[in-house]
Structures are given as C-alpha cells and as structure tokens.
Amino acid sequence: MISGSEDTIKNYIDSPSKLKKLYNHVLIVVSISQIFGGAGLAAGITVGALIAQQMLGTDAYAGVPTALFTLGSAGAALFVGRLSQRYGRRTGLATGFILGGLGAIGVVIAAMVNSVILLFASLLIYGAGTATNLQARYAGTDLANEKQRATAVSMTMVMTTFGAVAGPNLVNVMGEFAALIGVPSLAGPFILAAAAYILAGIVLFIMLRPDPLDIAKRIAAYKQQNEHENDSNPVDQKYNKRGLAVGATVMVLTQIVMVAIMTMTPVHMKHHGHGLGEVGVVIGFHIGSMYLPSLVTGVLVDKVGRTAMSIASGFTLLLAGLVAALAPSDSMILLVIALSLLGLGWNFGLISGTAQIVDSTESSTRAKVQGTLDVLIALAGASGGALSGMMMANTSYAALSLTGGLLSLVLIPVVIWSTSNKVKNKG
C-alpha cells in the first residue's frame, strides 16, 4: 500500500522546492547504491567466461555464463518491475540486489567444489543483480519532469562507473585474496560481487524513503482527481506505443552488439597471450565508457533529442566493431579504443532509449512496463552472449566484431521511421 497522506502529496505539489529536495535525495541514494552495484556486475563480465572456459575445457561455451546471468536478469527484470509497481522502488530494488549477491556466493561455492551445474544455477540468480542495477536508473526519473529525465538517468548511471571500473581492476587483488582463503583465484571477483550487491540492497532498503514511485503515483492520482483530466486522446496513445517500440528497439539492439563483442574479448585476449591484469584494464576502460560519459549523454539527450542520440549510438557501435575487427591481437591500445567505443555506443543507446520509455509511460503502470521491456533487453544480451562464443569458435573474433558493428546500423532506419510517423501525426 502506498504511504503518505493527501495533505503530504498536496504539499509536494504546492511546494516545488520540497519536491526538488526529495528528487535530489532519491538521486543521491540511488547513486550510492549504483557504486556498489557497478562493482557487483563487473565480476561476471570480467571473469565469467574464463571460469566457464576453465571448468568446461572449451571456448565454444565460454559465452554461456554471460548468457545465463543475462537470462537470469530477464526473469529478475520482470520480477523486480512488478514488485516495484506493487510495493515501491525500495522493496523491488533492494530484493533484486540481495538476490544477486546470493547468486555471486553460489558462484564462489561452485568454483570451490568444481560443479558446473551449481555454477550455471548460481549465474542465473546472480543475474538478478544485473537486472536491478539496470532498473535502478528508472528510480531517478520517477520525480523528474520531461526535461530532466535523461539527465536523471545519467546521474545515477555515472555513479556506477566508480564501482564498475574498480571491479575489473581488482581482479588480481581479489584473485590473490581468494587463493589465500582456499578459493580458486578466478572466483575472487565474485566474492567482491556478493558483498557489493548485498550492500547496494541494504542502502536502498534503509535510505530510499519516502518511495519515489509511490509519491509519483500519488501526485498523478491527486492531479487527475482534482483537475478532472480524464480525457483520452487516441493519437497520443498511439504515439506512446510507438515510443515504447522505438525505445525498446534501440536498447535491445545496442545490448546485443555490446554483449556479443564484450563477452568474447577476454577469451580473445587470453588466446593471444594477454594476462588477467591486461584483461581487467581493457574491460575497465569498457565499463568506464559505458557509464562515465552518462552525465554529458543525459544532457545531450534532453537538449539535442532522443532521435539524434539514438542515431549516434548506431554509428559509434559500428566504429567499435570495425576497430575491434581490424586491431592486431597484440595491440592493447586498439583493444582499449574498440571496447571504449563499444561502451560509449551502448551508453548513447541506453540513455536515449530509456528516456523514450519514460516519456511513453504513466506512473500508474511505469515500473511494470519498464520491467517487461528490460526482459527484452536481458534476453537480447543472453542471445548475444550465447551466440558470440559459438560464432567465434567457428569463425573469428574479427568476424564477430564486424557482424556486431553492422547490426547496429539497423537503429538508424528504425529511428527515422519513428520520426517520420511522428511528423505525419502532427500534420
């Protein structure tokens, strides 16, 4: 049940400064949780494929861990979205992060007992942290106006950078720590992930009060009741559906391309003599590029527009694929550039797509719709992760990267179609 009296809601409506203070509080709390969440998600990205390669003895299934924790994040996205819609962001996000932490603990145990079945089951649960980390970006938009939405998303995402970049660069440290306590070194980053995800959940559960989605729903209901805004415009409803379709397509395509290339980069590097520390550096730059540009990206999406930044995403991902395909295997610099561009293209697509989703939903159904759409994103990532290993085993890393880059160009006609239809409706 949503907390807060009608008088309290009226105070937020009548006092923009009070609502802004709550909005800023929500951004701070979500940002703190994102620092921990970023560290948690980095473990699976950095060493997940290497653990599978070591335990299974083949590259063909090295993409399975990414596929599994991404598949797990699909189910978790639906669960967290519906839980948030019913009980608020605080309950939904805290539950998702704690489940992710329990999954990371399972991965550590699986590595200790050398159980592939337990590893795969734990990775599914670990995916809850990935889904929650992604859905937390929506919490910052609940109390934002239309001109603040992309910026609100970016402010929470940029804080993820601190944990996400630190995670891969602590691979060696956590590996040494794991060895000291009798745990396989590759499982070390998952010890960090377990602690980070559980801390993120605790921060949200304790500090995210009052709940932003609950307040947003009450404000919308109060305004509708008192201003009698019950009219329905069929054109607007159609445009909202189109906005959802375009926003989802942008995020799904960017996720497929990013996950496919990112997943197999550590395996490609290991084949060509790069150590775990070097893998950590490349993935660290990649994750930094996924999140660090967010503050600028959000402002650009709000100022320049969702359409322009979606197109920019497609071209940036194409460039990333080309550089990765053409880079000599021993060139750390070009691999860093390729993976940085890959992260940047994903960043453009995620923030512009998210803004379109928020624009096209109402607070009364927003979390549920967002959770459902994040399922598509997660399934896209699972597909990209699973197919990337098979494609690389049968072709090459260069072919995989080039294919991913070319696939990203599909974004451009989709966005142009959306713009042309929007202009027709206005005419």
Side-chain angles (χ1 to χ4, degrees), residues 104-162:
I105 292 172
V107 172
V108 175
I109 296 172
M112 292 174 66
V113 301
N114 197 36
S115 170
V116 173
I117 294 174
L118 180 58
L119 172 69
F120 287 172
S122 298
L123 284 167
L124 280 170
I125 301 171
Y126 168 77
T130 307
T132 309
N133 196 74
L134 197 58
Q135 279 205 31
R137 75 195 190 278
Y138 288 121
T141 69
D142 287 329
L143 300 174
N145 62 44
E146 190 174 348
K147 294 182 180 179
Q148 295 175 316
R149 287 168 180 166
T151 304
V153 172
S154 67
M155 287 181 70
T156 56
M157 285 182 60
V158 77
M159 298 305 292
T160 309
T161 309
F162 295 102

Side-chain angles (χ1 to χ4, degrees), residues 295-371:
L295 196 54
V296 175
T297 305
V299 174
L300 286 173
V301 172
D302 280 334
K303 298 285 186 184
V304 178
R306 282 67 162 142
T307 300
M309 294 306 294
S310 295
I311 292 173
S313 171
F315 281 117
T316 305
L317 290 171
L318 173 63
L319 186 58
L322 290 173
V323 174
L326 298 174
S329 57
D330 60 348
S331 176
M332 274 286 291
I333 293 176
L334 287 179
L335 284 173
V336 165
I337 291 172
L339 269 290
S340 295
L341 287 169
L342 187 69
L344 183 62
W346 177 86
N347 178 273
F348 289 169
L350 185 75
I351 294 181
S352 59
T354 298
Q356 290 186 70
I357 297 301
V358 177
D359 290 345
S360 304
T361 53
E362 299 295 332
S363 57
S364 58
T365 57
R366 182 167 294 154
K368 183 179 177 181
V369 172
Q370 290 164 344

Side-chain angles (χ1 to χ4, degrees), residues 13-27:
I13 295 171
D14 293 341
S15 176
S17 62
K18 186 176 180 181
L19 186 61
K20 184 178 180 181
K21 185 177 179 181
L22 178 57
Y23 167 68
N24 290 334
H25 169 74
V26 170
L27 287 182

